[in-house]
Amino acid sequence: MATTASFIIVSRNDIPIYEAEVGSATKREDAAQLHQFVLHAALDIVQDLAWTTSAMFLKNIDRFNDLVVSVYVTAGHTRLMLLHDSRNDDGIKSFFQEVHELYIKVLLNPLYLPGARIASSHFDTKVRALARKYL
Amino acid sequence: MKWFSVEDVSNLWPTVKDRFDERLPFRRASLNNKTRNPVFVENLNAEFILTTDSRLRSRFPQEQSLFWFREPYATVVLVTCEDLDEFKTILKPRLKLIVQNDEREWFIVFVSRAHPSNDNAIKSAKKVYDRVQVEFSTKKRERCCKFDIHGPEALFWEDLESKIMDCVRNTLDRRVQFYEDEIRKLSEQRFMPIWNFCNFFILKESLAFMFEMAHLYEDALREYDELELCYLETVNMIGKHRDFGGVEHGDDHAALLNPGNKPLSQIVQDDSFREFEFRQYLFAYQSKLLFKLNRPFEVASRGYSFVISFSKSLTSHEHKLPFCMREVWVITACWDLITASSSQYKAGLVAPDIEKEFYRLQGDLFSLGRVKFMRLAYLVGYGNDIERSPVNSASLSMLPWPRPSVWPSVPSEASSEVLEKEKLILQTTSKTKHFGIQRKELPLEPTVLLREANRRRASLSAGNAFEIFDGSDRSGPDGSSKSPNSQKKAGVSMSRTFSSPGNFEGSPDRPMRIAEIHVAAQHALQETISDEDLWKSLSSVEEFEKKYLELTKGAADNYHRSWWKRHGVVLDGEIAAVCFRHGNFDQAAKSYEKVCALYAGEGWQELLADVLPNLTECQKMLNDQAGYLSSCIRLLSLDKSLFLNKEREAFQAELVRLAHSELKDPVPLDVSSLITFSGIPGPPLELCDGDPGNLSVTVWSGFPDDMTLDSVSLTLMATFNADVGAKAVRSSTAMLKPGRNTITLSLLPPKPGSYVLGVLTGQIGQLRFRSHSFSKGGPADSDDFMSYEKPARPILKVFKPRALVDLAAAISSPLLINEIQWAGIVVRPIDYSLKGAILHIDTGPGLSIEKSFVIEMESCANLSQTEPDTPNSFDSQNGSPTANKQLEQLTLEDGKINFPDWASDMDSVIWVPIWAKSDSLPRGSSSVAPPRPNMVDGMRTIALNLEFGASHNQTFERTIAVHFSDPFHVSSRVIDKCNEGTLLLQVILQSQVKATLTVYDAWLELQDGFVHAGQGDGRPTLGSFPLAVSPTSKGGIIFNICLGKTIDENGAEKSESIVNIRYGISGDRTSGAHPPVAMEYSGSDASRKDLTFRSVLVLQRPVLDPCMAVGFLPLPSVDLRVGQLVPMKWRVEMLKDLEDKEISKHNVLYEVNANPENWMIAGRKRGYIPLSKKQGSRIVISVLCVPLVAGYVRPPQLGLPNVDESDISCNPPGPHLVCIMPPALSSSFCVPV
């Protein structure tokens, strides 16, 4: 498992709708905010890159010293963004794919308003389990 | 520069040199590139030099192959000759010699000096030239051209140029071929030990150089690229330890754009070059070519990745390099790249994509340089002047410290600087955030500098440093808290612990203090940095800030230009921080607003929470109350977990304080994010038109503490009609608890329609706030939210105006006039409560309410309740409607009746005692005075005004008509005239009410001219009383009267007869007329009080008394025909004796009137007839008439002109029309058969 990994889902309006620190490293208190900042800045790059490829998985689009940002852009332009320090691209790809599936399940929930924050604890548990499995 | 050697055979060069040089550089040339594809190049530089030139002679033959590119590309043999023999004997052998021995491309320029006027000279020159051509040109290749000095030149130059280009192309191809072969040979040996990179490099670069000279920059660039690849492969080859380089003075300044930084001979090492210099050298050439290709974008893009990769190399060799050499190099490299590429870049020349990318790269370079610059500044001790913002923190805290082999130590003479620095550190107070926000400041360092620096000192073991550090670090149990505050404190406290004077240059074992580290770093950097500009920027805080600002601005601007708004805006925030520090709040607020707008717009609350307090502070400083307040609101509406409760309370307190004290003018404020509201779940409140009501609204307060609102009002939007604005509802003070509150607002009577929640507005002190959002939950104010907006649920329905109540008269049949009667008013509420209703009763003229009697109100069967539709009504009914039949006596106060509660929902009847007065006596009808039906006579009106509704806001007005009438209508007629002169007068009583009337007695008071027959008292002849008259039926009474005169004692003459009827009535008030009110209570039948009815009867003596009668005697029964004589007969008869009539004569004048067109009268039309005045005398008048026309015609009429018409009774006087047949056919025209 990656030592540092920050996972965030950004809705198509650039609003973070789900955040999770999934790294195994002991958390630095300020890390969350810095990770957020890095991921937020990476949106600039995603915005350029997303339209240049038909692939959903954009790996290593941004590098921040040792940390790398990988992004998975869904068809609805929801972006699953992962800030990580591991180099396990296949694992990350699988992680994204499975989270995408979970996200679609959330979307299918009639009570979930697309674009709203994902508050489902079930989703959270699943994502964390996936992170342990793949990252 | 290309050279063309000129073999000046005939000593002509000095004369033509200028004209040759004029043609240079060649404007356009077609060359073959490395892949043998033709390429057009422009402005090819060249020089013509003589073969005797020194530059061509100095070559060693063995070098020639390597530096072949320096050899001339072609030899121009310049020759002239006017004599053919001379050419054959002298020139030709010489030329052959030149041409044979030369491997170069060559061609001959034959110069003709012949003057155009000199034909002979021209001819001979031509002959010679022809000869030259024969000798030297082949079919394949034309190698000669002729230059007429005096002739037209254009053709020649074209010819020359094409010849030269052919030569150049051939030479180039040949040379490229040669180099390629050489390079291939070398490449094949690459993995052999003897392989030498330098040789390879020389070949490659020569080739590249040649390409460059030929303006084939693309090819040159490719050569350099290949060279770089090859070099990187060799340099990374394991097992070969090479010197990296970069330790010389001035190496810290990046030379990646300066190809001539160092001569290659200086950097050559063994069989290769030093990496540090050589890679920069290669990049410099690449960028030079790229600039020549006008591709500054590529310079930037390659440069950026070069800086990154080179920085990595520097890292790996950091221990050998001077302190912070890597950082300095990166900074200078970035700056150089930025300056060079931006100066070469011309906006608008490239595709928008590239342009965007270019600016992005510029931004990246700026920002990279900026980060490294900040790192140096931190080391020098300007850490306090670097904003601890997420962007700085993210870039710096993940960037490892420089790792020199030994951390620099304080020079011995720098103790004063250390003291100064220490003082500075002590002076800087840690910046407290506005509102006392306790936030861990973001780190600017990957690990604590103090520990890192001490650990890296050679003399100090790592373990030692930790011990020291832990002893002074009181940051907490986890031991990982590295907040700069605690670190600073640690530094300070350490300095105190160890600050014994003169201890600075103590034993090297002593760990350095932070001030010492800064001073040491400063000195070490001074050693490292050769760039004056950079050193100046680091020399003082002011200079640092200047440069910092410049870099930040550059990065921000470029990011903005590249549409990387997030990067750009964030850097704007950094500029704002500097502006803020310098008190330029206006600028700071503007930039902070941009940052906040970005984060807020995209909902990154954690990041917003970091910047927003700064903006708030700016706005406070600027006294921008509206902005300040709205920032407070935004702070409050951020996620609760982002601030401590204490801090949130502080925000609120600030808001309340401002609202109540400082604001002079009311300030509008949008609190949609903080105060949200929604309707109470369940069906909407339903109101009838005009009714006020109370609307309950759930209001969520995001305030951390109780909030007192001075007023709250809510606008409601009509769903179907946007124009019909909103209705405001108000409540006075409201207290909002944190979380959910329910506020009840009173509604002004709204217009009909259904309403949804609109805007919540209110006031806190001087603060006018408004909130638009309905409920928390989805992300507000985003497009998504709008598109998934829940359908607005109506909160209030106001029905269209409809009848809420109905007032009607209980009965339609007439009541007794002049008696106290119960008038019933039916009150029927229509699905609307009449609780507390008040009924105003106002009687019209001729009607009064008997106040001495009580008013009764009773319930009556409700039609709607009898319908078994709702179980509710059944329950409440609980049996038959009579079971709970209510009856209540009410009193009238000021014309008002207050409704009892039970009557609020059910139909009821109000019985009001009323008395309709009529002064006139009713008149009976007879043949003399026919009845005049007049409904208005008995109509009386009652104006009713019912006030009801919750606040008596509803009124219902109705005027009901009550019909009154007399019990009977009396009509009379004389049924017979008896012989003795008595008249039988029949008085017919027709009941006019819906009640049984019983006539007990009746008597007649006769008018003058009539007397009762016999000695009657006026009672009817046949006493058949009591006479019961059912409703609408008739009864008759016969009186015997006769004409006669009575002298009244009083002498007054009565002109009318009056019939008096004593009667009783039995009826129900619910159906119509009934006994008067007073009687009902008088008790039993015994004390029955009979009513009296008087009606006027008009009797008239017969006024018409004809004394003569004229009768038309029947016509003969045969048909009347035209031309036939018809006797018309009238009989005139005296009916009575004519004593007093004026017909004095015995003869009565008669006259027959007939239309002369229709009738011919044969006889006397006018004449007297003798008639006795005795009663019964009669005479028949017969007149012969002949009808003249066929058809229905009016018969002749008999008139008696002397007798008053009233004295003649002629009924019937004769037929109106008689039928006259056409004349019969004359037989004389008939033909016998």
Side-chain angles (χ1 to χ4, degrees):
Chain A
M1 187 164 181
T3 46
T4 314
S6 188
F7 178 63
I8 205 160
I9 300 181
V10 181
S11 81
R12 69 183 173 88
N13 296 321
D14 303 333
I15 298 169
I17 54 174
Y18 174 79
E19 292 156 43
E21 291 286 327
V22 290
S24 60
T26 36
K27 249 190 210 168
R28 278 173 66 164
E29 283 178 46
D30 44 50
Q33 197 187 359
L34 292 185
H35 291 172
Q36 274 219 359
F37 172 76
V38 173
L39 287 171
H40 179 252
L43 283 178
D44 271 337
I45 304 164
V46 178
Q47 133 204 317
D48 286 353
L49 275 183
W51 305 108
T52 60
T53 168
S54 59
M56 287 178 151
F57 179 48
L58 313 170
K59 66 177 177 188
N60 302 358
I61 58 155
D62 196 12
R63 187 177 297 269
F64 223 88
N65 299 315
D66 293 332
L67 297 178
V68 181
V69 180
S70 289
V71 179
Y72 186 90
V73 186
T74 71
H77 209 62
T78 300
R79 282 142 292 175
L80 317 182
M81 307 180 80
L82 186 71
L83 181 75
H84 56 98
D85 56 1
S86 78
R87 293 281 181 270
N88 179 8
D89 280 340
D90 290 341
I92 289 165
K93 192 172 182 184
S94 315
F95 170 75
F96 275 144
Q97 277 162 350
E98 300 226 359
V99 174
H100 187 200
E101 215 161 292
L102 282 178
Y103 174 67
I104 287 170
K105 281 180 189 165
V106 170
L107 276 183
L108 291 176
N109 182 349
L111 298 179
Y112 173 74
L113 219 64
R117 195 161 264 276
I118 301 176
S120 153
S121 62
H122 178 252
F123 181 80
D124 188 56
T125 322
K126 284 277 187 113
V127 168
R128 283 172 196 282
L130 285 175
R132 272 195 297 279
K133 185 174 166 193
Y134 288 115
L135 302 183
Chain B
M1 178 74 75
K2 280 185 165 55
W3 289 338
F4 301 103
S5 57
V6 178
E7 186 73 59
D8 192 7
V9 180
S10 313
N11 213 4
L12 283 166
W13 184 239
T15 51
V16 296
K17 180 175 186 292
D18 290 344
R19 296 168 89 165
F20 270 70
D21 284 347
E22 263 174 28
R23 313 303 304 178
L24 298 175
F26 299 115
R27 268 185 295 282
R28 202 171 155 75
S30 163
L31 299 176
N32 289 332
N33 67 2
K34 201 178 167 190
T35 48
R36 304 285 185 273
N37 290 323
V39 178
F40 287 101
V41 293
E42 288 173 351
N43 287 333
L44 204 60
N45 269 324
E47 191 182 344
F48 292 102
I49 53 172
L50 286 172
T51 39
T52 51
D53 195 282
S54 59
R55 282 175 286 186
L56 291 179
R57 272 185 296 183
S58 63
R59 299 266 176 267
F60 298 107
Q62 68 268 26
E63 271 184 347
Q64 260 188 0
S65 64
L66 280 179
F67 297 101
W68 216 15
F69 56 89
R70 293 189 189 162
E71 294 296 310
Y73 275 72
T75 304
V76 183
V77 182
L78 211 56
V79 70
T80 186
C81 185
E82 275 136 25
D83 186 9
L84 205 58
D85 292 339
E86 191 192 335
F87 170 72
K88 274 182 187 165
T89 51
I90 305 165
L91 207 54
K92 191 177 140 191
R94 198 168 158 200
L95 286 179
K96 288 272 180 196
L97 198 69
I98 294 167
V99 169
Q100 268 172 12
N101 293 344
D102 210 334
E103 286 177 11
R104 285 192 284 264
E105 289 284 324
W106 58 271
F107 65 97
I108 296 167
V109 175
F110 183 84
V111 181
S112 161
R113 282 183 293 196
H115 201 268
S117 56
N118 191 345
D119 276 355
N120 278 340
I122 290 173
K123 267 182 192 167
S124 60
K126 194 171 179 297
K127 264 183 199 166
V128 176
Y129 179 61
D130 287 344
R131 195 73 210 159
V132 172
Q133 273 190 315
V134 169
E135 289 293 331
F136 295 99
S137 289
T138 57
K139 266 190 185 172
K140 271 186 192 169
R141 192 151 173 201
E142 193 76 23
R143 283 185 189 268
C144 306
C145 54
K146 187 176 159 206
F147 178 36
D148 270 328
I149 289 180
H150 301 293
E153 296 181 355
L155 272 174
F156 164 74
W157 292 118
E158 227 167 72
D159 201 15
L160 180 79
E161 261 178 41
S162 83
K163 293 256 177 342
I164 286 181
M165 283 314 135
D166 280 346
C167 294
V168 168
R169 198 182 307 123
N170 290 339
T171 314
L172 191 67
D173 287 351
R174 198 130 44 89
R175 288 180 185 173
V176 167
Q177 189 63 45
F178 165 78
Y179 277 116
E180 278 190 340
D181 290 345
E182 289 294 306
I183 288 166
R184 197 178 306 120
K185 260 184 253 163
L186 266 184
S187 298
E188 279 162 9
Q189 304 169 357
R190 240 182 94 184
F191 298 103
M192 293 186 179
I194 51 145
W195 192 72
N196 188 329
F197 179 78
C198 291
N199 290 343
F200 182 74
F201 166 75
I202 289 167
L203 278 177
K204 268 283 194 193
E205 189 169 46
S206 302
L207 184 57
F209 186 60
M210 208 165 65
F211 280 133
E212 193 189 335
M213 281 202 307
H215 286 217
L216 296 169
Y217 300 123
E218 290 276 6
D219 295 278
L221 182 65
R222 199 172 298 121
E223 295 307 311
Y224 276 112
D225 287 350
E226 282 170 16
L227 200 52
E228 187 185 13
L229 270 179
C230 183
Y231 177 73
L232 286 179
E233 273 173 31
T234 58
V235 90
N236 292 334
M237 224 179 260
I238 312 157
K240 284 198 177 173
H241 183 77
R242 286 199 179 86
D243 209 358
F244 179 72
V247 287
E248 291 164 34
H249 181 72
D251 278 351
D252 65 291
H253 191 289
L256 80 172
L257 290 176
N258 182 8
N261 187 37
K262 283 183 192 175
L264 279 172
S265 55
Q266 273 185 28
I267 61 170
V268 74
Q269 192 193 24
D270 302 339
D271 57 351
S272 184
F273 301 97
R274 282 210 298 269
E275 187 181 349
F276 180 80
E277 284 92 352
F278 188 66
R279 280 184 68 185
Q280 295 193 59
Y281 171 85
L282 283 179
F283 185 82
Y285 269 103
Q286 285 170 350
S287 52
K288 191 176 115 192
L289 289 169
L290 285 170
F291 280 137
K292 280 192 174 162
L293 283 166
N294 202 12
R295 298 201 315 229
F297 158 70
E298 234 169 288
V299 176
S301 111
R302 282 167 177 241
Y304 184 70
S305 38
F306 178 74
V307 169
I308 297 286
S309 74
F310 199 69
S311 164
K312 266 186 199 149
S313 308
L314 287 174
T315 315
S316 59
H317 295 99
E318 202 175 0
H319 54 280
K320 286 181 246 160
L321 296 172
F323 181 65
C324 282
M325 160 90 177
R326 178 168 67 110
E327 279 77 9
V328 176
W329 186 88
V330 171
I331 293 169
T332 49
C334 286
W335 293 359
D336 285 356
L337 276 174
I338 290 163
T339 338
S341 57
S342 60
S343 68
Q344 293 272 340
Y345 183 78
K346 288 174 202 73
L349 284 183
V350 289
D353 272 6
I354 302 286
E355 181 163 322
K356 216 175 112 181
E357 195 67 8
F358 175 74
Y359 286 125
R360 202 261 300 159
L361 281 165
Q362 295 277 307
D364 279 348
L365 286 169
F366 264 116
S367 126
L368 181 62
R370 178 176 168 274
V371 169
K372 300 286 178 190
F373 183 63
M374 281 196 293
R375 166 54 42 90
L376 292 187
Y378 187 90
L379 284 174
V380 174
Y382 303 147
N384 268 324
D385 296 295
I386 301 174
E387 181 74 9
R388 290 171 184 273
S389 61
V391 59
N392 289 348
S393 173
S395 355
L396 288 176
S397 74
M398 290 179 206
L399 185 71
W401 288 115
R403 293 194 197 90
S405 53
V406 179
W407 198 272
S409 52
V410 195
S412 51
E413 73 280 359
S415 58
S416 61
E417 287 173 46
V418 173
L419 266 177
E420 212 167 284
K421 208 99 194 169
E422 217 152 72
K423 218 191 283 170
L424 213 65
I425 291 171
L426 281 171
Q427 276 169 359
T428 48
T429 48
S430 68
K431 273 171 280 170
T432 47
K433 283 209 164 189
H434 192 42
F435 296 120
I437 294 171
Q438 299 284 320
R439 271 223 158 183
K440 280 239 163 102
E441 289 202 303
L442 293 171
L444 290 180
E445 52 284 278
T447 53
V448 181
L449 177 61
L450 193 67
R451 190 198 312 216
E452 179 72 17
N454 281 314
R455 196 167 63 84
R456 290 211 166 263
R457 289 177 67 204
S459 53
L460 213 61
S461 76
N464 250 350
F466 274 115
E467 276 163 34
I468 292 156
F469 195 79
D470 288 346
S472 58
D473 184 10
R474 301 161 304 209
S475 57
D478 60 339
S480 63
S481 160
K482 306 290 177 289
S483 88
N485 261 346
S486 69
Q487 176 250 321
K488 219 171 285 151
K489 272 180 216 145
V492 171
S493 67
M494 269 173 63
S495 72
R496 278 182 189 145
T497 323
F498 292 95
S499 64
S500 48
N503 196 21
F504 296 119
E505 57 275 10
S507 75
D509 283 353
R510 188 185 58 77
M512 288 203 294
R513 285 164 298 152
I514 193 77
E516 288 174 314
I517 292 170
H518 289 326
V519 171
Q522 200 168 1
H523 281 270
L525 276 173
Q526 197 171 8
E527 290 290 307
T528 311
I529 297 174
S530 64
D531 186 90
E532 278 181 21
D533 186 29
L534 177 58
W535 177 246
K536 194 178 149 221
S537 305
L538 286 172
S539 61
S540 71
V541 178
E542 289 74 29
E543 288 293 330
F544 158 70
E545 267 187 0
K546 211 171 110 192
K547 194 78 194 171
Y548 171 78
L549 214 54
E550 180 191 316
L551 292 175
T552 313
K553 269 184 185 155
D557 287 352
N558 281 300
Y559 278 134
H560 278 306
R561 269 183 241 166
S562 77
W563 294 89
W564 274 25
K565 59 168 181 180
R566 294 178 189 88
H567 283 75
V569 168
V570 161
L571 289 167
D572 280 341
E574 297 312 303
I575 298 169
V578 177
C579 292
F580 181 76
R581 225 176 11 244
H582 291 296
N584 186 358
F585 297 113
D586 197 28
Q587 186 62 41
K590 269 182 205 157
S591 296
Y592 273 135
E593 249 161 38
K594 270 198 252 174
V595 185
C596 289
L598 173 76
Y599 286 144
E602 303 192 342
W604 294 69
Q605 297 212 341
E606 276 178 52
L607 301 175
L608 182 59
D610 191 68
V611 198
L612 198 49
N614 298 338
L615 173 63
T616 316
E617 181 72 27
C618 283
Q619 283 163 336
K620 192 183 184 186
M621 294 294 182
L622 288 171
N623 206 20
D624 171 15
Q625 285 167 336
Y628 182 58
L629 285 170
S630 85
S631 292
C632 284
I633 291 292
R634 281 161 85 183
L635 278 171
L636 279 169
S637 47
L638 286 177
D639 202 56
K640 283 195 186 79
S641 58
L642 292 173
F643 291 105
L644 299 177
N645 213 28
K646 202 174 72 190
E647 289 158 5
R648 288 166 52 80
E649 276 166 19
F651 302 149
Q652 188 186 345
E654 188 72 12
L655 187 83
V656 172
R657 183 184 64 78
L658 261 182
H660 285 288
S661 64
E662 290 190 4
L663 295 179
K664 288 183 194 76
D665 307 313
V667 173
L669 187 63
D670 192 329
V671 294
S672 302
S673 49
L674 201 58
I675 296 179
T676 59
F677 57 97
S678 72
I680 299 280
L685 179 68
E686 293 181 345
L687 286 181
C688 291
D689 178 50
D691 271 4
N694 286 327
L695 185 67
S696 287
V697 184
T698 310
V699 178
W700 281 274
S701 163
F703 287 106
D705 213 347
D706 285 359
M707 188 63 163
T708 311
L709 308 179
D710 294 336
S711 70
V712 186
S713 60
L714 179 70
T715 47
L716 300 175
M717 313 286 289
T719 44
F720 296 112
N721 193 351
D723 310 336
V724 175
K727 288 282 165 191
V729 287
R730 285 202 178 79
S731 97
S732 52
T733 334
M735 175 71 96
L736 286 186
K737 295 193 297 292
R740 186 191 166 117
N741 298 274
T742 303
I743 289 185
T744 305
L745 301 149
S746 55
L747 281 171
L748 298 176
K751 282 185 184 156
S754 71
Y755 291 86
V756 292
L757 289 173
V759 184
L760 185 80
T761 54
Q763 205 146 359
I764 307 170
Q766 286 286 71
L767 200 66
R768 277 201 211 121
F769 69 84
R770 55 196 280 119
S771 168
H772 303 272
S773 52
F774 303 128
S775 63
K776 241 172 186 164
D781 295 330
S782 74
D783 292 343
D784 253 4
F785 188 62
M786 292 308 283
S787 58
Y788 293 105
E789 194 184 20
K790 290 175 224 159
R793 193 171 64 90
I795 191 78
L796 170 69
K797 273 188 183 161
V798 180
F799 296 111
K800 289 225 170 69
R802 63 163 178 106
L804 303 173
V805 71
D806 191 28
L807 294 176
I811 46 167
S812 56
S813 60
L815 299 173
L816 286 179
I817 202 162
N818 281 332
E819 301 289 348
I820 302 172
Q821 293 273 289
W822 291 111
I825 301 162
V826 177
V827 181
R828 184 179 297 134
I830 305 170
D831 292 336
Y832 195 84
S833 171
L834 297 181
K835 200 170 164 68
I838 295 171
L839 181 65
H840 295 262
I841 301 178
D842 192 14
T843 51
L847 190 69
S848 61
I849 297 173
E850 279 307 299
K851 298 221 171 78
S852 50
F853 300 104
V854 289
I855 291 165
E856 287 182 8
M857 186 164 185
E858 66 178 4
S859 62
C860 68
N862 195 338
L863 275 176
S864 65
Q865 280 185 3
T866 50
E867 287 168 12
D869 51 354
T870 51
N872 245 0
S873 66
F874 259 128
D875 291 348
S876 65
Q877 203 82 355
N878 202 16
S880 71
T882 47
N884 60 348
K885 179 138 177 151
Q886 300 269 2
L887 180 72
E888 192 165 330
Q889 298 191 344
L890 307 166
T891 49
L892 188 71
E893 291 160 6
D894 299 336
K896 285 186 282 186
I897 302 170
N898 291 315
F899 273 40
D901 282 352
W902 57 263
S904 59
D905 289 321
M906 60 197 322
D907 293 0
S908 51
V909 186
I910 298 172
W911 295 107
V912 187
I914 49 169
W915 192 11
K917 287 192 185 110
S918 174
D919 295 336
S920 61
L921 276 177
R923 299 184 81 85
S925 64
S926 64
S927 54
V928 183
R932 283 172 306 178
N934 193 350
M935 295 295 283
V936 182
D937 277 354
M939 243 1 142
R940 297 290 186 275
T941 54
I942 306 176
L944 298 171
N945 187 351
L946 185 66
E947 280 180 8
F948 60 104
S951 58
H952 290 214
N953 53 309
Q954 303 275 13
T955 53
F956 183 81
E957 284 184 23
R958 171 160 286 183
T959 303
I960 57 171
V962 189
H963 189 205
F964 291 89
S965 81
D966 298 310
F968 302 107
H969 178 258
V970 178
S971 57
S972 58
R973 64 167 178 156
V974 175
I975 40 175
D976 203 8
K977 236 186 225 174
C978 298
N979 282 339
E980 66 274 39
T982 52
L983 301 165
L984 283 182
L985 180 71
Q986 188 185 32
V987 175
I988 302 159
L989 303 174
Q990 181 166 14
S991 167
Q992 300 217 61
V993 293
K994 235 175 164 184
T996 309
L997 298 166
T998 315
V999 179
Y1000 296 113
D1001 197 2
W1003 64 96
L1004 193 65
E1005 292 169 24
L1006 287 172
Q1007 67 196 80
D1008 287 344
F1010 295 92
V1011 289
H1012 294 289
Q1015 64 277 22
D1017 51 356
R1019 299 274 191 274
T1021 25
L1022 292 170
S1024 56
F1025 295 124
L1027 174 68
V1029 184
S1030 317
T1032 68
S1033 61
K1034 290 176 182 175
I1037 308 167
I1038 295 176
F1039 292 95
N1040 255 345
I1041 55 169
C1042 57
L1043 299 170
K1045 285 200 172 158
T1046 49
I1047 306 300
D1048 202 358
E1049 305 89 56
N1050 299 335
E1053 286 193 356
K1054 282 197 277 184
S1055 59
E1056 299 166 321
S1057 308
I1058 294 172
V1059 64
N1060 295 290
I1061 295 166
R1062 195 160 57 80
Y1063 68 101
I1065 183 167
S1066 67
D1068 191 2
R1069 66 181 179 187
T1070 55
S1071 58
H1074 50 274
V1077 178
M1079 274 169 59
E1080 282 183 7
Y1081 297 99
S1082 60
S1084 65
D1085 200 44
S1087 59
R1088 183 198 71 199
K1089 224 174 149 186
D1090 290 337
L1091 305 167
T1092 308
F1093 169 65
R1094 287 155 64 85
S1095 178
V1096 173
L1097 278 183
V1098 178
L1099 301 176
Q1100 217 169 24
R1101 289 173 59 127
V1103 277
L1104 289 179
D1105 205 4
C1107 52
M1108 258 180 220
V1110 178
F1112 184 81
L1113 292 183
L1115 290 168
S1117 59
V1118 290
D1119 295 337
L1120 301 181
R1121 284 184 183 276
V1122 173
Q1124 186 184 359
L1125 279 173
V1126 182
M1128 295 274 176
K1129 289 175 182 169
W1130 291 272
R1131 189 167 71 184
V1132 179
E1133 189 173 340
M1134 290 301 281
L1135 292 176
K1136 57 167 90 168
D1137 297 334
L1138 278 177
E1139 302 103 22
D1140 48 351
K1141 289 285 174 190
E1142 299 298 314
I1143 313 165
S1144 49
K1145 295 168 188 160
H1146 291 280
N1147 297 328
V1148 175
L1149 184 67
Y1150 78 90
E1151 191 178 36
V1152 176
N1153 296 319
N1155 189 346
E1157 289 177 4
N1158 297 339
W1159 297 94
M1160 190 172 74
I1161 296 170
R1164 288 187 63 179
K1165 275 166 86 177
R1166 188 183 165 100
Y1168 286 95
I1169 48 167
L1171 190 65
S1172 152
K1173 281 182 180 175
K1174 285 276 184 215
Q1175 182 184 7
S1177 61
R1178 59 186 70 174
I1179 190 165
V1180 173
I1181 300 168
S1182 179
V1183 177
L1184 273 176
C1185 302
V1186 181
L1188 297 179
V1189 290
Y1192 287 96
V1193 295
R1194 205 172 140 81
Q1197 305 281 322
L1198 179 75
L1200 300 173
N1202 280 353
V1203 183
D1204 193 24
E1205 233 175 89
S1206 61
D1207 283 338
I1208 301 167
S1209 162
C1210 42
N1211 192 22
H1216 287 288
L1217 296 171
V1218 288
C1219 180
I1220 309 295
M1221 310 291 282
L1225 290 173
S1226 174
S1227 59
S1228 54
F1229 293 108
C1230 296
V1231 178
V1233 179

